[in-house]
Amino acid sequence: MNLLCRINRLRPTIRPTIWPACDLGAIAFSNLPPRSTISASTSTSTSNSTSSKHLTERTCKILTTLMDKNASRQDRRLALSRAVTLVESKEIRRKEQAEIMLQAISDALRVEDVQEGGTTGAFRVGFAGPPGAGKSSFIEKFGLHVLGVDADGRRTRDEDPNSSFSPSTMSVLSIDPSSSYSGGSILGDKTRMPELSRHPECFIRPSPSSANLGGINAYTNDVIQLCQAGGYDLVVVETVGVGQSEVEVDKAVDMLILLVPPGGGDELQGVKKGIVEVADMLIVNKADGELYTTARHTCADYRGAVKWQGRGKSDIREGWSVPVLMASAKENTGVDKVWDMIKKFREVQSGNGGLEEKRRRQGKYWMWKQVQEIIKLKTERDEELRVKAKTLDKALMEGKVTPRLAATQLMEAFFDR
């Protein structure tokens, strides 16, 4: 039974007047577990806070189209785009709709995962690196290689019948930095992927970082879940140009790949803590032309350094040694070796339980991340709290209170509401 059947199990709990666009008459859901309610919160939430939340007709249509495996790829892409827009919205009613939709998708994916023998669903790969490392250009070559066919239908590689993982679809979530002054983003990384962006089996979505540190935005993890619901086998996350300490992307992906330019560091950079420490693979990009010799030296420096990277008790990458490879997006070299390593990593981590354990830890992280986001939004929208915040702002400017004391008083006012 496909995921559309799972999601339509929600019909008895939602007001029937909002479902006219959904053809549910022929759906059988006798094999599904009983469900008493659907809300933006989990079953431990109080009914008073969720009883008024229902799916609207528009959200229902987006949800059913997104998860309908019989729908056309074009219709599902459109539904995915609208679902992402809904999730990224900061308007209160849309946020409530997004929360209900995401919980419903999570329930449906979990049921399918159990019935299909505990598959891991879409595999998620993050590409991070400093500005100018060539992330977008490399991802285009990588995507065309993985899909095996370019946008015009020409084969880019021979099929491997023995491959344990051969995705036929992929999505790319490209995070663009937001202005510190205007808050706007150019969202231009997609322009560096002209071939991949018109590929029928690839979905590319640029999103602003919205001043969020860590290389991704606050909703990236939710958007990844939407891509999985939309039937994409491989989800690629391209971060903004990151520094050494911005490692939040590792909390959203199964495998983190760090791209560095030639001459981008020495052995000392390799042993520093931060993003190099959590990366599962390092790629020295732009290994071509006059930079080839420099790239070889950079690669040797990092190879010598990662051997001495210590692993703490929380490291779950058992049986995996971090490889350091050279590649060139310009000459399209080394991409095949990168893909082979990704498949090997997936096989190793799936076999030793590391992949499943990492996803459990990520779930806990994003719960607390959303708690922070919700508190911030509710504080900004509550009239009394806004007045309190302005009063504290004035006291801060006059030096009457410290930032720590001001934050404590604002939180006390928040919980007294």
Side-chain angles (χ1 to χ4, degrees):
M1 187 181 298
N2 62 32
L3 289 179
L4 179 61
C5 300
R6 314 255 185 274
I7 210 64
N8 283 329
R9 176 65 177 86
L10 306 175
R11 184 191 184 195
T13 67
I14 303 176
R15 293 175 295 185
T17 56
I18 66 173
W19 287 86
C22 305
D23 182 13
L24 306 174
I27 300 294
F29 26 73
S30 58
N31 294 330
L32 289 166
R35 176 181 271 105
S36 59
T37 186
I38 173 171
S39 68
S41 303
T42 62
S43 58
T44 59
S45 301
T46 60
S47 58
N48 292 335
S49 64
T50 61
S51 59
S52 62
K53 298 179 182 180
H54 302 273
L55 283 176
T56 63
E57 178 182 346
R58 176 179 174 81
T59 309
C60 164
K61 186 175 180 179
I62 293 174
L63 182 58
T64 52
T65 304
L66 176 65
M67 305 189 74
D68 185 2
K69 294 182 179 179
N70 296 319
S72 67
R73 173 57 62 186
Q74 182 178 1
D75 288 343
R76 295 185 79 182
R77 284 166 65 100
L78 180 59
L80 177 56
S81 296
R82 290 173 173 170
V84 174
T85 300
L86 186 65
V87 165
E88 292 182 342
S89 174
K90 294 186 178 180
E91 198 273 326
I92 295 177
R93 293 182 180 179
R94 291 185 177 181
K95 284 183 68 67
E96 290 179 351
Q97 289 293 296
E99 290 166 359
I100 300 172
M101 179 180 65
L102 288 167
Q103 183 60 53
I105 289 173
S106 178
D107 290 346
L109 291 173
R110 185 168 58 251
V111 171
E112 183 180 73
D113 190 64
V114 172
Q115 293 195 353
E116 293 188 0
T119 59
T120 57
F123 190 67
R124 310 166 303 172
V125 180
F127 284 88
K135 296 185 292 295
S136 299
S137 300
F138 182 86
I139 288 174
E140 175 170 61
K141 299 299 183 182
F142 171 78
L144 294 174
H145 176 80
V146 170
L147 294 174
V149 180
D150 65 16
D152 296 321
R154 298 185 296 265
R155 293 212 61 80
T156 58
R157 64 177 174 85
D158 295 330
E159 293 185 9
D160 183 5
N162 299 320
S163 176
S164 59
F165 181 49
S166 299
S168 58
T169 57
M170 70 176 291
S171 57
V172 179
L173 308 179
S174 179
I175 313 301
D176 203 55
S178 299
S179 170
S180 301
Y181 299 102
S182 67
S185 298
I186 297 176
L187 303 180
D189 285 334
K190 189 175 180 179
T191 62
R192 295 192 178 98
M193 309 177 199
E195 292 294 319
L196 194 60
S197 62
R198 62 190 183 93
H199 197 290
E201 300 302 329
C202 183
F203 172 83
I204 301 179
R205 174 74 179 213
S207 297
S209 65
S210 301
N212 189 68
L213 299 178
I216 57 179
N217 65 29
Y219 307 103
T220 301
N221 191 58
D222 294 333
V223 177
I224 289 174
Q225 189 179 54
L226 293 177
C227 291
Q228 182 176 344
Y232 290 93
D233 306 321
L234 178 66
V235 181
V236 171
V237 178
E238 179 191 2
T239 73
V240 301
V242 297
Q244 290 177 329
S245 62
E246 294 165 309
V247 298
E248 189 175 55
V249 62
D250 188 53
K251 307 297 184 181
V253 298
D254 301 317
M255 182 179 190
L256 177 59
I257 298 176
L258 178 62
L259 272 74
V260 295
D266 52 18
E267 289 191 22
L268 179 60
Q269 297 295 333
V271 297
K272 282 184 177 181
K273 307 302 180 184
I275 196 166
V276 176
E277 184 182 28
V278 299
D280 301 302
M281 183 192 305
L282 273 72
I283 301 174
V284 181
N285 196 23
K286 301 184 178 182
D288 52 61
E290 296 179 355
L291 292 174
Y292 182 78
T293 301
T294 306
R296 287 186 60 185
H297 292 315
T298 303
C299 187
D301 286 339
Y302 275 101
R303 282 175 178 167
V306 296
K307 291 189 301 183
W308 305 105
Q309 282 279 12
R311 293 190 176 182
K313 295 180 180 179
S314 61
D315 197 321
I316 55 177
R317 294 175 293 181
E318 182 180 351
W320 180 254
S321 298
V322 177
V324 182
L325 306 177
M326 291 197 306
S328 169
K330 180 180 179 179
E331 297 183 354
N332 198 20
T333 57
V335 179
D336 54 341
K337 295 180 180 179
V338 170
W339 177 232
D340 289 341
M341 279 294 179
I342 291 175
K343 291 189 292 184
K344 182 179 179 181
F345 177 86
R346 179 180 181 272
E347 183 178 353
V348 170
Q349 292 300 99
S350 298
N352 63 20
L355 188 58
E356 185 178 356
E357 175 62 22
K358 184 174 184 178
R359 291 188 176 184
R360 282 197 294 264
R361 296 183 184 183
Q362 289 173 339
K364 181 178 179 181
Y365 173 85
W366 285 102
M367 178 190 73
W368 288 107
K369 181 76 173 180
Q370 290 303 316
V371 167
Q372 297 172 19
E373 186 71 16
I374 291 169
I375 291 176
K376 179 182 176 182
L377 289 175
K378 287 187 179 295
T379 302
E380 292 173 349
R381 288 171 178 157
D382 187 281
E383 183 63 29
E384 291 187 18
L385 290 175
R386 283 205 304 269
V387 173
K388 179 70 172 179
K390 289 181 180 179
T391 303
L392 290 170
D393 283 342
K394 184 178 179 180
L396 276 169
M397 295 294 291
E398 295 173 351
K400 295 179 179 179
V401 295
T402 65
R404 179 187 292 269
L405 179 59
T408 300
Q409 292 181 359
L410 187 59
M411 283 297 95
E412 289 176 350
F414 177 88
F415 289 111
D416 287 341
R417 295 284 294 151

